[in-house]
Amino acid sequence: EAQVTQNPRYLITVTGKKLTVTCSQNMNHEYMSWYRQDPGLGLRQIYYSMNVEVTDKGDVPEGYKVSRKEKRNFPLILESPSPNQTSLYFCASSLSRGAYEQYFGPGTRLTVT
Amino acid sequence: AQSVSQHNHHVILSEAASLELGCNYSYGGTVNLFWYVQYPGQHLQLLLKYFSGDPLVKGIKGFEAEFIKSKFSFNLRKPSVQWSDTAEYFCAIGSGNTGKLIFGQGTTLQVKP
């Protein structure tokens, strides 16, 4: 089954404790992206990757890092999480940057205390 | 700057009522237009999309949307809603070279049985 998976689905952590949210897709998509969803703001792009070893900042990249060492994986790293990063995070992928139709993962609800 | 505006933040309807959710965008160039739906506790799913051609597009589950270029609008419609349509609906545009989707704030639809 074609899908985007994320882990963990729920995470409660404390300020400053590094964490990684994994994302994997099995559709051989070139383009992958991370969004955060906050009430009243919709989804905002954090980082994106057009292919292996090619990543770039989205609209709200501060406090986040990503890597793309393999085509299927695109982890999101919070080196020193803060309470304002409490949010719902979605990973998404699409065939290429031009395709735009993106397939979303199930989401990771992160709480930073 | 590109932006998407959804005018209705919270809509409450009875079953069998007709639905229209407004979406306006601001961007001078060619855009791809999307409606995504997020059922409670689930990830975003694509309802329908418009890239070019017939401005009236049909999606899944009886939804349709009309692209009106002169009004920069892409409103979502359904003639008769069901309780199972209770969800959050997001309008989005894709444009430029980054593959980014720009989302509206979302509209929560509650359908009363």
Side-chain angles (χ1 to χ4, degrees):
Chain A
E1 179 190 355
Q3 60 183 346
V4 179
T5 57
Q6 293 177 231
N7 281 292
R9 295 288 312 280
Y10 302 91
L11 179 59
I12 300 173
T13 189
V14 296
T15 299
K17 186 175 181 182
K18 181 179 178 179
L19 65 92
T20 298
V21 183
T22 65
C23 171
S24 184
Q25 50 93 5
N26 63 1
M27 296 170 279
N28 201 35
H29 283 171
E30 287 187 350
Y31 184 94
M32 297 186 74
S33 181
W34 277 102
Y35 294 86
R36 60 178 288 173
Q37 182 182 9
D38 301 292
L41 296 177
L43 281 79
R44 294 174 293 166
Q45 191 184 53
I46 303 170
Y47 266 94
Y48 64 94
S49 169
M50 294 193 189
N51 215 323
V52 175
E53 302 291 3
V54 181
T55 63
D56 209 344
K57 296 177 181 178
D59 293 324
V60 288
E62 292 76 21
Y64 305 95
K65 285 176 57 176
V66 293
S67 70
R68 187 93 181 272
K69 293 184 170 51
E70 304 167 283
K71 198 171 187 179
R72 62 183 293 128
N73 295 325
F74 190 46
L76 179 70
I77 304 155
L78 285 73
E79 298 238 327
S80 184
S82 62
N84 65 11
Q85 293 178 298
T86 292
S87 188
L88 180 58
Y89 291 87
F90 288 100
C91 181
S93 73
S94 67
L95 195 58
S96 71
R97 69 177 184 182
Y100 294 127
E101 178 180 344
Q102 295 187 17
Y103 297 82
F104 285 81
T108 296
R109 186 166 292 281
L110 172 65
T111 302
V112 183
T113 62
Chain B
Q2 303 153 14
S3 66
V4 177
S5 178
Q6 293 180 238
H7 314 298
N8 319 101
H9 298 297
H10 198 157
V11 174
I12 302 173
L13 294 172
S14 298
E15 275 194 315
S18 64
L19 170 72
E20 181 160 5
L21 300 182
C23 172
N24 286 90
Y25 67 92
S26 124
Y27 182 65
T30 302
V31 293
N32 298 330
L33 297 154
F34 304 86
W35 275 96
Y36 281 86
V37 61
Q38 185 178 29
Y39 298 104
Q42 296 189 27
H43 62 284
L44 279 80
Q45 302 172 41
L46 183 68
L47 265 183
L48 48 80
K49 62 188 178 187
Y50 173 79
F51 286 4
S52 64
D54 188 344
L56 183 61
V57 293
K58 295 191 183 302
I60 61 171
K61 306 187 181 189
F63 286 91
E64 65 178 31
E66 184 175 14
F67 170 52
I68 303 179
K69 190 175 181 179
S70 61
K71 294 185 178 180
F72 298 91
S73 71
F74 190 55
N75 293 353
L76 181 71
R77 300 195 291 250
K78 186 172 184 178
S80 176
V81 295
Q82 301 172 315
W83 176 78
S84 58
D85 292 325
T86 294
E88 191 160 16
Y89 293 80
F90 292 94
C91 181
I93 63 172
S95 66
N97 294 322
T98 68
K100 176 173 64 178
L101 288 177
I102 300 168
F103 285 85
Q105 307 93 318
T107 297
T108 300
L109 171 65
Q110 183 182 352
V111 180
K112 294 184 173 179

